[in-house]
Amino acid sequence: NAGVTQTPKFQVLKTGQSMTLQCAQDMNHEYMSWYRQDPGMGLRLIHYSVGAGITDQGEVPNGYNVSRSTTEDFPLRLLSAAPSQTSVYFCASSSLRGAFQETQYFGPGTRLLVL
Amino acid sequence: RKEVEQDPGPFNVPEGATVAFNCTYSNSASQSFFWYRQDCRKEPKLLMSVYSSGNEDGRFTAQLNRASQYISLLIRDSKLSDSATYLCVVNRGGSYIPTFGRGTSLIVHP
């Protein structure tokens, strides 16, 4: 099993550009999520999904879109990049037990710099 | 009060020492708890879940105190390889949005 994979590992964007961060998991997990991690801020949830076709907002969703057309893939789209979106982005997946996530497995992260 | 709080540290300890971290949470509806470990510039990885009865895994012991609303992590016989940031995670009942603490930095020196 590859677990959770993310591409790209690094990206530099100019303000106003758009891009998609890819995330895939091969563990058949229902739950997938995107976090950003900034110095001193901890991990903050951007968007999450509890199954194909179902997405919802986390704590900091503005400026980001997601879709979940398959169980395996959960891409994160930056609509118009801003310097405030410079961060490290982690995708995670887990199985669900009722209304709770089980152990979350994280991808290796994408380091994004917006100039 | 932040929903989940951790002392950022760093905790600077010699090899072989015992060190303990606490993590306090504010929402009494919180129902599941975890400790994750994050190495520098790497992704978080599960260290252990925290059960009401407490649990132990080798040198690591996690405890939950619901009355005082905190979880703890005890590391015995610290190793150099234990140097990392330790994140606590709290899940509220009925919510799919886990809350991460900002992490506690541990540095184990020779």
Side-chain angles (χ1 to χ4, degrees):
Chain A
N1 283 353
V4 180
T5 58
Q6 289 183 238
T7 56
K9 291 187 177 179
F10 305 96
Q11 184 70 49
V12 179
L13 291 178
K14 294 181 180 178
T15 296
Q17 287 184 314
S18 64
M19 79 160 294
T20 300
L21 280 62
Q22 301 292 343
C23 174
Q25 53 95 5
D26 61 0
M27 296 173 281
N28 202 32
H29 286 162
E30 305 99 316
Y31 184 92
M32 295 187 74
S33 54
W34 277 100
Y35 295 87
R36 59 178 290 173
Q37 188 173 36
D38 303 293
M41 295 295 294
L43 283 154
R44 292 183 292 169
L45 184 67
I46 304 171
H47 285 285
Y48 67 94
S49 167
V50 297
I54 306 169
T55 63
D56 209 342
Q57 296 181 349
E59 305 167 75
V60 288
N62 292 340
Y64 307 95
N65 274 356
V66 291
S67 60
R68 184 97 180 267
S69 56
T70 67
T71 300
E72 295 78 19
D73 300 297
F74 191 45
L76 176 73
R77 184 164 179 81
L78 279 69
L79 307 171
S80 176
S84 60
Q85 293 179 304
T86 293
S87 188
V88 180
Y89 291 85
F90 290 104
C91 178
S93 75
S94 69
S95 55
L96 289 174
R97 175 172 53 88
F100 296 99
Q101 304 95 316
E102 298 279 15
T103 301
Q104 291 200 72
Y105 296 87
F106 286 82
T110 294
R111 283 165 175 76
L112 177 66
L113 173 62
V114 183
L115 302 174
Chain B
R1 181 183 176 185
K2 296 185 182 68
E3 196 165 338
V4 176
E5 290 197 66
Q6 296 183 251
D7 181 342
F11 285 65
N12 206 318
V13 303
E15 273 185 292
T18 296
V19 62
F21 313 134
N22 282 346
C23 169
T24 58
Y25 60 95
S26 60
N27 192 321
S28 59
S30 300
Q31 294 195 16
S32 65
F33 310 87
F34 304 87
W35 283 104
Y36 281 75
R37 170 193 169 127
Q38 186 174 25
D39 294 299
C40 187
R41 301 179 69 80
K42 297 286 190 180
E43 71 272 24
K45 293 183 179 178
L46 180 73
L47 180 66
M48 55 200 314
S49 304
V50 187
Y51 305 120
S52 296
S53 55
N55 53 315
E56 185 173 320
D57 183 3
R59 298 182 293 109
F60 299 84
T61 300
Q63 299 277 356
L64 167 63
N65 186 316
R66 285 193 183 273
S68 300
Q69 295 187 196
Y70 73 88
I71 62 173
S72 64
L73 178 67
L74 180 77
I75 305 175
R76 290 180 296 277
D77 188 24
S78 298
K79 311 292 185 191
L80 296 175
S81 57
D82 293 334
S83 297
T85 297
Y86 292 84
L87 309 172
C88 72
V89 184
V90 175
N91 285 340
R92 292 199 314 273
S95 168
Y96 290 113
I97 302 179
T99 303
F100 282 75
R102 296 183 181 185
T104 297
S105 175
L106 172 66
I107 301 170
V108 182
H109 58 83

